[in-house]
Amino acid sequence: QVQLVESGGGLVQPGDSLTLSCEVSGRPFRSYAMGWFRQAPGKEREFVAAIRNSILYGDSAKGRFTISRDNAKSTVYLRMNTLKPEDTAVYFCAARLLGIGVRPAGYDYWGQGTQVTVSS
């Protein structure tokens, strides 16, 4: 059984930085493309970033967020800089066996999410 566990969320002020982590267990980590998505109240789940051999970023992440992975630790990271109140959301990591993409429906496994709140 594949499990994804996010950590690192919290309450931060505008302009701060935060790093989210997602540890994966249950299958060789290298098998997966990993993605980060976010969902704010009343909104659809939004693509943030994804990584396999290539990297994709959503428009909201370009220039401020960096996705990376450590295959030895079975962990994917999302470094978020210059956070804004509109970045407030629950952030989810997701894994997919085939390809890489931006649509939530293309991902096979999901974590439970971690709350990020950006407020002064």
Side-chain angles (χ1 to χ4, degrees):
Q1 184 176 359
V2 178
Q3 290 188 320
L4 289 73
V5 180
E6 301 100 334
S7 60
L11 173 63
V12 296
Q13 294 187 341
D16 284 354
S17 297
L18 200 62
T19 299
L20 305 182
S21 302
C22 174
E23 185 173 0
V24 180
S25 61
R27 189 167 178 149
F29 183 66
R30 286 183 177 84
S31 303
Y32 301 114
M34 299 300 302
W36 285 99
F37 293 79
R38 69 186 186 184
Q39 190 163 19
K43 295 189 176 181
E44 294 186 352
R45 194 161 294 192
E46 176 189 10
F47 172 73
V48 176
I51 184 170
R52 190 190 282 274
N53 297 320
S54 57
I55 292 175
L56 303 175
Y57 288 106
D59 289 341
S60 62
K62 291 177 182 177
R64 296 190 298 127
F65 295 0
T66 303
I67 189 172
S68 62
R69 64 190 295 163
D70 185 335
N71 289 336
K73 295 183 178 179
S74 298
T75 300
V76 61
Y77 304 96
L78 184 68
R79 173 69 174 179
M80 304 185 292
N81 295 326
T82 320
L83 283 161
K84 306 174 183 179
E86 51 263 45
D87 295 318
T88 295
V90 178
Y91 284 71
F92 298 89
C93 74
R96 58 187 288 167
L97 289 170
L98 299 178
I100 186 171
V102 304
R103 294 171 57 244
Y107 285 76
D108 304 302
Y109 305 102
W110 290 83
Q112 81 287 351
T114 186
Q115 176 71 45
V116 173
T117 303
V118 185
S119 176
S120 55

